[in-house]
Amino acid sequence: MHHADVMMNEANNGRFYCVYRVSLWAHAVNCLDRHVHTCPERVALIWERDEPGSEFKVTYRQLLEMTCRLGNLLRRHGVKRGDCVTIYMPSCPLAVASMLACARIGAAHNVVFAGFSAEALAERIRDAQSSTVITVNQGVRGGKLTELKKTVDTAVQSCPTVQQVFVRKQLSLFGCGFITMLWLLHVISDNAQEMQKEDVVCEPAAMDSEDVLFLLYTSGSTGKPKGLVHTQAGYLLYAALTHRYVFSYHDGDVFGCVADIGWITGHSYSVYGPLANGGTSVLFESTPIYPDPGRYWEMVQRLKINQFYGAPTAIRLLLKYGNQWVHKYDRSTLKTLGSVGEPINTEAWEWYHTVVGDGRCPVVDTWWQTETGGICITPRPSNPDAEIVPGMAMRPFFGIKPALMDTEGEVLTSNHTSGALCIAQPWPGMARTIHNNHQRFIETYCQPYPGYFFTGDGAYRSKEGYYQITGRLDDVINVSGHRIGTAEIEDVVNQCSQVAESAVIGYSHNIKGEGECNSFIQRLPKTRSGKIMRRVLRKVVEQDLNGLGDLSTLDDPAAVQEIIEVIVNII
Ligand code: 6R9
């Protein structure tokens, strides 16, 4: 029996996950070797490259081979168990193989989103004390070329720990034709020269269930980003279990999570969850509007995607372009539609459900965080016909005990109430610490409500006991003594036909405590993963430009500058 199966039974019995601390084979075995024994030619990854129609498939056998070669290459260059390897690559099979190669030899990986600047990358490399970086020379996204190797070159100049950088050379050609495809096929199966020299067998390291699997940085509201630490057994169990049950994933299904592997969503639902379940996972390397706003649905038709998992920010954007981009394509393969990253407003939920899913696919709004490792609150699993209320994350997953706290720190026991969202007992996928800063982990998550894990989010529990996430608590506004979640007001504002998206924030008001400031502007400041940075807006409105906090995840710093100009003029 595989260790993960043991853990799964434990979780099903509702017992504490950490009862057994046994050694297990590295993740690469659970995600690859197992499936190579039973179905070597099954497609593990479909690499949906920037140009539609240039997808590339990798079987479990090929992915194992790539992973082993890379594992051997890293070992030969001195990477040991316990080291940390930084991966700076777009979503592509080699990035997945790099993650699994680290796991196979017992090294932790630290994937940094390939859109981050040299400075943000350097900060994460330094904090992780990585001695090895893996990258590609260039990538292409939305028709734009990015020179990743150059960014790495700049970054490592200020990273004294880095001893070696592995660069995979790949040509990112626009409008990739048949010849290029042949060339690509050659490169992928042949792999780069160095990898080619390596053996296709790589002995997996035996790991303790609580050994580190990876670090993943998430931005803090103040100070520097936090390197959250996930461990071996609990994380994989939780990613696999949630992937199978939340999305009702069945063998043979094609799972399309469009998040970048640089985020936790990509880690859990493009890589570990689907691969642990022997699934076929799409790696999406483009944007929702490239080459046009039909991209997602054209891809669904072409790859016959069964479960589609995306972010509200993209849904809101596509909704604006109109239904014709959806109707153009056959979406009959779709069975479940997932949403993650931010509260999904009612208008976007309805559109996703009725237009994209033709009213026949459950929409699973999935609430979770980098810290939780996998989905914690979501409508499924449940009876297939159990109610789903638009815009609500609904029910806790197996083993998750949500608790709402009042401002005095007391647990709210009744329904139809709002409070700070905590989790009352540990679960397998929870992050164990912040790399090199356990004290910050304790202060951020464990001390605010002793005995509970504090999520930083606010939630409402309805009369029926269903949960609705109301937004980050640092975004909650207090007007005349009423605590209102930003998401609640935005939901109403977004229903105006002229409004594509909105961000509601509060600012100090002598009488009411906080007033709302609604100012419409061209674009909102967002993180690279599409979350609106309301705390930055609030600081701008409060004219506290020195207190903007950690901006390393900001997508386009010019957006903040624009807003500063508009808002400072109004106030
Ligand atoms: C998975 C992911 C975590 C924060 C989280 C919350 C927000 C995520 C949400 C949601 C409302 C949902 N969030 N999913 N809010 N409804 N379905 O996004 O992880 O990048 O760490 O962000 O995102 O505020 O605390 P991460």
Side-chain angles (χ1 to χ4, degrees), residues 218 264-265 339-343 365-371 455 457 469 472 531:
T218 175
I264 191 70
T265 308
S339 169
V340 59
E342 280 215 300
D365 179 12
T366 59
W367 174 85
W368 60 296
Q369 317 175 291
T370 305
E371 292 84 341
T455 67
D457 283 323
I469 309 303
R472 297 295 301 175
K531 293 188 208 304

Side-chain angles (χ1 to χ4, degrees), residues 366-434:
T366 59
W367 174 85
W368 60 296
Q369 317 175 291
T370 305
E371 292 84 341
T372 68
I375 296 163
C376 289
I377 305 184
T378 186
R380 294 287 187 268
S382 66
N383 302 328
D385 46 359
E387 179 183 26
I388 303 181
V389 182
M392 287 189 105
M394 304 292 290
R395 308 173 181 90
F397 189 73
F398 308 152
I400 299 294
K401 284 208 170 147
L404 297 183
M405 303 295 183
D406 67 13
T407 43
E408 312 296 310
E410 298 296 324
V411 180
L412 292 158
T413 49
S414 58
N415 281 353
H416 189 42
T417 186
S418 298
L421 178 63
C422 291
I423 304 181
Q425 66 179 28
W427 66 101
M430 78 185 292
R432 303 299 197 261
T433 187
I434 291 174

Side-chain angles (χ1 to χ4, degrees), residues 454-467:
F454 174 49
T455 67
D457 283 323
Y460 163 72
R461 186 168 52 226
S462 72
K463 288 195 197 86
E464 299 79 12
Y466 300 146
Y467 288 88

Side-chain angles (χ1 to χ4, degrees), residues 544-563:
D544 177 9
L545 299 187
N546 294 326
L548 297 180
D550 172 21
L551 296 179
S552 63
T553 54
L554 195 63
D555 183 29
D556 181 2
V560 177
Q561 203 46 47
E562 268 174 35
I563 290 159

